[in-house]
Amino acid sequence: MTQLRWGLLAAGTIAAEFAAGVDESRHGVLTAVAARSADRARDFATRFEIPKAYGSYEDLLADPDVDAVYVSTPHPMHREWAIAAAEAGKHVLCEKPLTVTAADAEEVIAAARKQDVFLMEAFMYRLHPQTRRLAELVSSGAIGEVRAVDVTFSYDVEDAEVERLGDLALGGGGILDVGCYCTSLARLVAQAALGVDVVEPEEVTGMAKLSASGVDEYATGLLRLPGDILARLSCGFRLAQEDGIHVYGSRGSITVPRPAWIHALRKPVTSQIVMTPHDGAPEVIEIEASQGLFAREADHVATHIGDRQAPELTWAETLANMRTLDRWREAVGYGRPS
């Protein structure tokens, strides 16, 4: 286990959540923050008592006191700065999606491999005990042979965020913003059911409501996964839906009414999984989380620094998910204005 000195590349909302998590972690310390505005970096540093604030990302990457970098820039900038961080010899935790396309993700992974640094895509929900318990139930055969999974992550964004999420140049749209959780979770269920490390869909189809600029405001996807497991996905940033996970098997079903990615479960609270056999009453399984989700993520990176990859979020896992997102966006006509 290593005591990691963290540098934050960008000072937005998600960076603030991660910074609070590092403060609560067992094996991390906040060392520096960088923003495009020096004033913004200083304000952020004051808020979280971070010793160093930089008005450029390059200055932070040149700091010898920074061991690991958390990249939370807009999506299209992930590739550039994750590669720059690796080339500076820094370990990298990069917000999801790792990049905008699978091809870009391959370049980031190649840089991490060449520079021999740790790299992980920040799908923090994968580390939550709820997610781990769901995978255990599926792999144990608790509901028999898995046949279908439904996943929904969809919301109606506040007006202040519409400009960013609706901007094609910024990698906007629901699929990249939250649909990536849906593909990740559906694939995880199939992997647990089949007892394999990584799966990709055999078929991908979908439809979406596209904006005038060509980003998906809300979308549906249908995946045929190995083993004839069908996944139905719903996501969006302009349509409030009831988030949830439903897994259907030959002997019963599993429901996760509040998935680990929702804001309320980022704190160390109790969540639930409901398992319903075809021939019995529902069983409510309570899941205790003893650590905040971002603190858990920071400690997970520290634990696996020497491995260069995290076992639950390997580079192969990231690439499989990125390729699935590419295919879903192609299916709905992403980038072609309505």
Side-chain angles (χ1 to χ4, degrees):
M1 184 70 72
T2 305
Q3 186 76 16
L4 280 183
R5 299 172 297 178
W6 284 96
L8 309 180
L9 237 62
T13 301
I14 194 68
E17 291 200 52
F18 183 73
V22 173
D23 276 342
E24 297 167 4
S25 71
R26 301 182 182 96
H27 304 284
V29 59
L30 294 168
T31 296
V33 60
R36 289 302 189 185
S37 159
D39 288 341
R40 185 174 185 182
R42 282 191 292 268
D43 289 345
F44 193 99
T46 299
R47 177 181 172 188
F48 290 99
E49 299 182 349
I50 300 173
K52 301 179 184 181
Y54 295 108
S56 80
Y57 298 158
E58 292 89 350
D59 288 346
L60 184 145
L61 294 181
D63 188 335
D65 294 330
V66 171
D67 301 316
V69 169
Y70 173 65
V71 179
S72 61
T73 61
H75 302 158
M77 299 170 65
H78 288 181
R79 172 190 169 278
E80 174 187 359
W81 292 107
I83 290 174
E87 290 177 343
K90 312 299 185 186
H91 302 297
V92 181
L93 174 65
C94 183
E95 259 309 317
K96 57 78 203 164
L98 181 66
T99 54
V100 174
T101 68
D104 285 350
E106 289 176 352
E107 292 187 28
V108 173
I109 289 168
R113 182 181 289 112
K114 180 179 179 180
Q115 302 300 327
D116 191 27
V117 296
F118 177 92
L119 169 68
M120 187 178 94
E121 185 179 23
F123 268 120
M124 77 298 188
Y125 92 94
R126 289 288 291 265
L127 309 176
H128 197 286
Q130 180 201 80
T131 308
R132 289 171 169 170
R133 183 67 176 129
L134 172 61
E136 289 169 0
L137 289 169
V138 169
S139 63
S140 73
I143 59 169
E145 178 185 332
V146 173
R147 294 177 175 170
V149 54
D150 290 353
V151 191
T152 299
F153 190 176
S154 187
Y155 62 99
D156 194 0
V157 75
E158 296 179 1
D159 290 343
E161 285 290 295
V162 170
E163 183 175 357
R164 177 183 69 85
L165 287 167
D167 191 334
L168 187 65
L170 292 179
I175 292 175
L176 284 178
D177 190 55
V178 290
C180 54
Y181 288 94
C182 301
T183 54
S184 173
L185 189 283
R187 293 178 42 263
L188 175 64
V189 167
Q191 287 160 192
L194 299 173
V196 297
D197 291 335
V198 180
V199 301
E200 292 187 48
E202 297 166 352
E203 297 178 49
V204 179
T205 60
M207 291 184 289
K209 161 61 170 68
L210 298 177
S211 70
S213 69
V215 307
D216 54 298
E217 295 187 344
Y218 44 93
T220 60
L222 179 62
L223 315 181
R224 182 187 297 276
L225 294 156
D228 276 334
I229 297 171
L230 302 183
R232 294 168 292 210
L233 316 177
S234 297
C235 71
F237 71 95
R238 295 299 286 164
L239 177 64
Q241 299 184 70
E242 186 175 349
D243 290 356
I245 301 164
H246 302 276
V247 183
Y248 301 96
S250 59
R251 297 203 306 269
S253 63
I254 298 172
T255 298
V256 183
R258 303 177 76 214
W261 53 67
I262 69 172
H263 284 268
L265 297 192
R266 295 178 181 182
K267 298 177 181 179
V269 297
T270 302
S271 60
Q272 294 182 337
I273 294 175
V274 181
M275 186 165 64
T276 307
H278 289 335
D279 58 356
E283 175 189 358
V284 178
I285 302 168
E286 293 197 336
I287 313 296
E288 297 289 340
S290 60
Q291 188 180 30
L293 196 44
F294 288 97
R296 182 183 298 273
E297 184 176 53
D299 283 337
H300 194 75
V301 173
T303 300
H304 295 287
I305 279 290
D307 303 325
R308 298 305 192 244
Q309 299 183 50
E312 288 170 280
L313 287 157
T314 63
W315 299 345
E317 167 67 21
T318 289
L319 287 175
N321 207 55
M322 288 302 314
R323 286 190 289 263
T324 304
L325 293 172
D326 282 356
R327 293 167 68 187
W328 189 5
R329 289 192 301 153
E330 175 63 25
V332 304
Y334 185 90
R336 298 193 290 272
S338 60

